[in-house]
Amino acid sequence: MKPASNAQGDDTGSPSASTAASGDAGPAADAMALALEQARLAARRGEVPVGAVVVGPDGTILAACGNRTEECHDAAAHAELLAMRHAAAALGQTRLMGCDLYVTLEPCPMCAAAAGLFRVRRIIFAAYDPKGGGIEHGPRIFATAGAVHRPECIGGVRETDAARLLREFFAALRQ
């Protein structure tokens, strides 16, 4: 997987070279590793640790973002939405046809609906979210008759790593 020159990274504007080039299990492992890195960076900023990466049809990383709801004072500044917006801007188009969205937590209903509107090909997520998820839990956005697009959805990829980040973040908040 090769990082795009205009990929949106967390603070530097591009994905970390060590993360984007790491792993030998192919693009999926690299993209989820980068999403987990974005989640860790979000946690350091005091955000809920969720990271998202959009990978283009050719394997190029188009965008990598973490949650920024607190920083931006924007309840909709979820990692997935930010990454899809940056990826669409990088491509210069409205839709993300043929692109894959990697995210460390099952997208909420808002983000799942947005992924449908962006027309992503596939959503690959790490941890399941029984309380706030919108794909396998809650309203199951893509199972409704009104779904405008139904991407392939794959859950549980690096689930243990993502769940540990979330558990540690919320445990620290309670102390």
Side-chain angles (χ1 to χ4, degrees), residues 72-88:
C72 295
H73 307 289
D74 179 356
H78 290 198
E80 304 96 303
L81 280 177
L82 296 173
M84 289 186 290
R85 287 174 181 159
H86 287 303

Side-chain angles (χ1 to χ4, degrees), residues 6-83:
N6 58 354
Q8 296 295 314
D10 190 75
D11 293 318
T12 63
S14 65
S16 149
S18 63
T19 301
S22 70
D24 50 33
D30 291 347
M32 191 58 80
L34 181 54
L36 286 162
E37 178 181 318
Q38 293 298 314
R40 284 188 286 278
L41 290 169
R44 285 188 211 129
R45 292 191 307 270
E47 303 279 356
V48 173
V50 177
V53 172
V54 176
V55 177
D58 64 352
T60 299
I61 297 171
L62 299 173
C65 299
N67 273 355
R68 292 190 176 274
T69 58
E70 300 300 324
E71 175 185 330
C72 295
H73 307 289
D74 179 356
H78 290 198
E80 304 96 303
L81 280 177
L82 296 173

